[in-house]
Structure formats: structure tokens, C-alpha cells
Amino acid sequence: MRSFVEVPSGSDFPIENLPYGIFSRIGHTNRRVGVAIGDRVLDVAMVCHLFRGEAIAGKQHVFHQETLNDFMALGKAAWRETRLNLQRLLSIDEPELRDNAPLRQQALIPITQVKMHLPARIGDYTDFYSSLDHATNVGVMFRGKDNALMPNWKHLPVGYHGRASSVVVSGTPIKRPLGQTRPDDGQPPVFGPSKLMDFELEMAFFIGPANKLGEPVPIGNAQDHIFGMVLMNDWSARDIQKWEYVPLGPFLAKNLGTTISPWIVTMEALEPFKTANYKQHPEPMPYLRHSDPFSFEINLEVSVKPPGGAEGVVCRSNFKHMYWTMKQQLAHHTITGCNMQPGDLLASGTISGPEESSFGSMLELSWRGSKTIDIGNGLTRKFLQDNDEVIIRGHCEKPGLRIGFGECKGVLLPASQT
């Protein structure tokens, strides 16, 4: 495919991608539905009257909203038809937008002139724990090699309910949290700023159509409820987590902030990058079984940028390392009849691979603080310091085709005064 919009070499956003986001023009407050194409943002509301087809007919109002929830709710037929319309309008061979200079000038905005916002109203957020390498690493650190995995881990996708209100868009600073920790196991706990702040390399997917309360989403239909994916940094206060998590799991160590990238890459755009699912043993229960591939070759990297310095890559991983698929996560989450809503967010958990360089957290990279992490220019870290910026990037690539997710970044600010 070729677009009349110039797409720079190596861009994350060719015409084969067209991820969705919510933007406002700098200096304006009204939020709009947009898609990224090269170094431009197409205002979808300004061109949706040109759409053709039955699935989206009479429903163009969804593109005049300040979130993507209503569009997500329409389902796959509407998503597919909208994508085809957008690709047609942006094609180098289609004159309808290309040759309409006034509309083109209004609807195609330089990406440097927009501010990105959360793409959806996130009603609920769930974080899974689906990387075998990550779970094994953490288990070895805290329980020893013989008890690394809990007995349930290979039988179900382990997860917990997170805090939706503190999910923020890329570029939003995160403040170092205050809390209780117990640095000396022989002494009472103390209160103060977390000293072991960490990133977690994750990806997450947004829910499209809802399911009714009491009606699980069958594994065979789970893909019809998955709208698209974003990058995620699930910031973690490891010392607060260590003290609080028994017996009910993460709480204050995770609710301080979770950063996502602003552009949602659709599952249809990711289709060419499907790969075989992780081989699972023992075989999951029937409600979790699916033979169709639903893992993806997504190259991921994390950089840490110290204040005033250059960023240094500390981790390179890949989404294909996930043991449990998104379909399994969704089928498991709803097997009780839990009702999902459009815009709900489900996260992968930390994405670690088998090599040390692919570990997706500083907890693993520093092996619980026993070694230093090289961040370049002679600087090292064990955990994040104040004013460090964490930058996550991801892309898929094969001969003649590259699509990406943009950036997921945030600066860690100092804690409030106690």
C-alpha cells in the first residue's frame, strides 16, 4: 500500500497500521478521534461522512466522541469497514481526500501540533502475570529454585484487579510514592518514600463489545472482543510490595500510576505478525484451549534516561515470550460471568524472555539489587532514581512492512515531603 501522505522511512505509522487515539490540537481543549499516518494525525470526525458500507452506516457519531469507547463497542465488522475506508481515503490512488485541498488541510494535522490523551474511558483494569520467565525469576529470588512457580501458575492465567483511575497516558510524570516498608526483617516497618522504584515492561489490550453479567466469553469468540493493543509501564514500588503483598497481592505498590502509549494498534494491523503460541504443559482445561495462533512477534525495548543525560537501552524483549495468550486471559477472566465493558484494559504482566538482556524489570536485571545495570555513559542503576525517565518502544517488522506503537514514557518525580 502507498499513501499520498508522506510516511518517513522507519515510521511506526504507515498506511498498513493506522492506530487510533484521542488528541486535541495544542491550545484547544476539545478532544477528537484520530488515526496516525506518518508524521500526521487524521481527524476522523472530519472525514467519516465519506465512509462507505453497511456496518458503519448511521453510526458515524462514534467518531464525534471524546473517547473511543462507543467505537470499540461496535465490534469487528464496523472496525474492519472503518479501517478499509481510512485506507481507501489515504491511498495515493484515491482522489476524494487527496484532491480536496481545504479538507485535507483541516483534517491532516502535524503530529507535533497535537496533544495526546487517554484513548478510552477505562472502567476497569486487570493486570496478569503471564510470562513464564518473569514468574520463574521472581519465584527463584523470593522462594528458591525448587519453589519458583506457585502450584496454580501453569493451570490458569494469574492476575489481579488494578486501579483504573491512575492509568495515565505517555508523558505524564509519576511521583515516587510514600508507604510502609520493612527494610530489616528483624525490625518493625518504617514509613517514607519507596527506595526501590522499578518499571515493568508490559503490553495491554482494550476490550471491545461487552458481555452480559453471568455470560462468559468462550475462548473461540474471545478474539472478537479484543480491539487492539498498547505499550504499558506498570510502575512498581518493590519495597512497598514486599511488605504488603501477603496475603492479598499488589495494592499500594502498583496503584501509584500505570503508563500506556496513546495509540491503539488494532488486531487487524497485527495480523501479519502472528506466531505460534507458547507451548503449554500441562494442557490447559478445555475452557482455556485454543489451537489458532494468537501470539505476536512484537519487538520491545526499554530505555532509561537520567536527568540531563542520554537514554540507554537496558532491556530488549518480545511479546511472543508470553505463556498465556490474550484469548486465554479474557476467557479465564470471564469464566465466572464477570462482565467486561468497552474500554476495559487487560495487561500482560511483565514481559521477560529467557536471556538476561530480555528481563523486563529492574528487579530482574539487577537480580534483586545484587548487581548493577549499565544505562550508558558510565552510569549504572539498581533501581530508578528521581527524575529518571523510562521510555518503552515496540514495533513489528518483516520484509517490506514495519508497524509500531510509538512511545510509552514517563519521568519519575521525587516523593512528596513527609
Side-chain angles (χ1 to χ4, degrees), residues 236-308:
S236 297
R238 298 300 186 186
D239 43 358
I240 293 175
Q241 183 177 357
K242 179 176 180 289
W243 173 234
E244 75 175 0
Y245 85 104
V246 177
L248 292 183
F251 184 37
L252 304 185
K254 302 279 191 160
N255 72 2
L256 60 118
T258 300
T259 305
I260 63 171
S261 53
W263 295 109
I264 306 175
V265 177
T266 65
M267 302 315 297
E268 193 165 357
L270 291 170
E271 187 74 21
F273 304 98
K274 275 185 176 177
T275 188
N277 302 330
Y278 203 108
K279 189 173 182 180
Q280 296 179 333
H281 181 78
E283 185 179 31
M285 291 185 181
Y287 79 95
L288 289 171
R289 293 177 197 164
H290 70 97
S291 57
D292 56 309
F294 210 74
S295 187
F296 297 86
E297 283 266 6
I298 305 173
N299 301 300
L300 301 165
E301 71 171 35
V302 183
S303 294
V304 174
K305 183 180 180 182

Side-chain angles (χ1 to χ4, degrees), residues 12-13 116 169-171 230-232 259-263 301 303 311 389-394 404-410:
D12 278 356
F13 307 129
M116 300 304 298
V169 74
S170 175
V230 292
L231 304 171
M232 173 181 281
T259 305
I260 63 171
S261 53
W263 295 109
E301 71 171 35
S303 294
E311 65 179 82
E389 183 177 31
V390 178
I391 307 163
I392 299 176
R393 298 182 179 93
F405 290 79
E407 293 181 336
C408 173
K409 61 184 180 180

